[in-house]
């Protein structure tokens, strides 16, 4: 299924740093030659939203996206991605 992923980049792993991380073998195969990004889905919540989430026991949803480009931590991304067989991982490569 294809969907638009919008979020704030929390962590970036460019292709030349994959060996420094212990990726799941399926993620390692999917990400070969691409950047792996962990982002906060929906972007950076407002202070009011953070308080509301805390009071209601909500959580921040993080997703992993495989990209062709390499954004910086803190950047906002909006990409069209395909859900993969790996839970919480999306493929936005061309």
């Amino acid at each position: 299924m294809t969907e638009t992923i919008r979020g704030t980049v929390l962590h970036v792993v460019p292709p030349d740093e994959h060996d420094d991380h212990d990726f799941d073998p399926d993620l390692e195969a999917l990400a070969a030659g691409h950047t792996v990004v962990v982002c906060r889905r929906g972007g950076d919540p407002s202070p009011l939203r953070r308080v509301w989430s805390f009071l209601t026991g909500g959580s921040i949803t993080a997703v992993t996206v495989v990209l062709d480009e390499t954004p910086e931590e803190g950047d906002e991304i909006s990409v069209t991605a395909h859900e993969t067989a790996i839970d919480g991982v999306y493929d936005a490569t061309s």
Side-chain angles (χ1 to χ4, degrees), residues 3 7 10-11 15 25 33 35 39-40 50-51 53 59 64 73 77-78 80-82 85 87 91:
E3 62 183 280
L10 301 174
H11 188 67
T35 299
C39 66
R40 177 184 297 126
R50 289 176 195 229
V51 170
S53 181
S59 63
T64 302
E73 290 180 6
I77 63 168
S78 179
T80 301
H82 303 282
D87 189 39
D91 183 3

Side-chain angles (χ1 to χ4, degrees), residues 3-83:
E3 62 183 280
T4 300
I5 304 290
R6 290 182 177 87
T8 303
V9 176
L10 301 174
H11 188 67
V12 178
V13 181
D16 60 342
E17 294 180 15
H18 286 196
D19 292 338
D20 298 339
H21 298 273
D22 188 24
F23 287 151
D24 174 90
D26 293 334
L27 177 58
E28 189 174 330
L30 176 68
H34 301 287
T35 299
V36 177
V37 172
V38 177
C39 66
R40 177 184 297 126
R41 188 175 213 151
D44 198 17
S46 69
L48 181 60
R49 177 83 176 168
R50 289 176 195 229
V51 170
W52 181 253
S53 181
F54 175 76
L55 294 174
T56 60
S59 63
I60 295 173
T61 304
V63 294
T64 302
V65 184
V66 179
L67 301 168
D68 289 325
E69 64 274 356
T70 305
E72 298 289 324
E73 290 180 6
D75 286 354
E76 294 289 326
I77 63 168
S78 179
V79 296
T80 301
H82 303 282
E83 190 173 12

